[in-house]
Amino acid sequence: VQLVESGGGLVQPGGSLRLSCAAYGLTFTDYQLSWYRQAPGNERELVATIDDFTHKQTYADSVKGRFTIWRDDVESTVTLRMSSLTPQDTAVYYCHARDSRAIGGAVYWGQGTQVTVSP
């Protein structure tokens, strides 16, 4: 199983960025998908989640109204659209997949992609 992120980089405050995560080797529609982030010196935090069946989206309060998560079950990708970025959004962003068919289902992480928001 592999989760491969792309789309990170350097952006100015107020700018936008789109992160993508492609999944390989799993039955994509069985998985709840999320994006986490971790800034230096901080714990990894949940940014956004999209459920497998209902496609319900949930967001951290810090990104509500600025970030949007969606999934393409045909292409096996999950995307995070980020706008109105601030330096506080600077972090390594990780794609996360959890098998939602059972409690304690398999969990997978991507390798992470750096997002830096700076003038």
Side-chain angles (χ1 to χ4, degrees):
V1 175
Q2 266 193 308
L3 301 178
V4 180
E5 297 112 336
S6 61
L10 174 64
V11 62
Q12 292 186 341
S16 299
L17 210 57
R18 180 180 295 192
L19 305 182
S20 292
C21 173
Y24 303 93
L26 53 77
T27 303
F28 194 73
T29 51
D30 288 339
Y31 284 76
Q32 179 192 66
L33 303 165
S34 301
W35 286 93
Y36 285 73
R37 67 186 181 186
Q38 188 167 19
N42 291 357
E43 294 186 354
R44 192 170 295 189
E45 64 169 343
L46 178 62
V47 174
T49 295
I50 184 164
D51 287 347
D52 51 342
F53 182 70
T54 65
H55 287 200
K56 178 183 176 182
Q57 303 161 15
T58 55
Y59 298 91
D61 287 342
S62 59
V63 307
K64 278 181 183 176
R66 301 188 299 121
F67 290 14
T68 303
I69 186 173
W70 73 88
R71 60 190 292 162
D72 185 330
D73 288 345
V74 174
E75 297 294 329
S76 296
T77 58
V78 57
T79 302
L80 185 70
R81 168 73 171 175
M82 306 182 293
S83 60
S84 301
L85 287 163
T86 74
Q88 286 68 41
D89 296 313
T90 295
V92 178
Y93 284 71
Y94 296 91
C95 180
H96 173 274
R98 183 182 69 82
D99 189 337
S100 61
R101 292 172 294 172
I103 295 173
V107 171
Y108 301 100
W109 291 91
Q111 81 284 359
T113 185
Q114 177 70 45
V115 172
T116 303
V117 184
S118 179

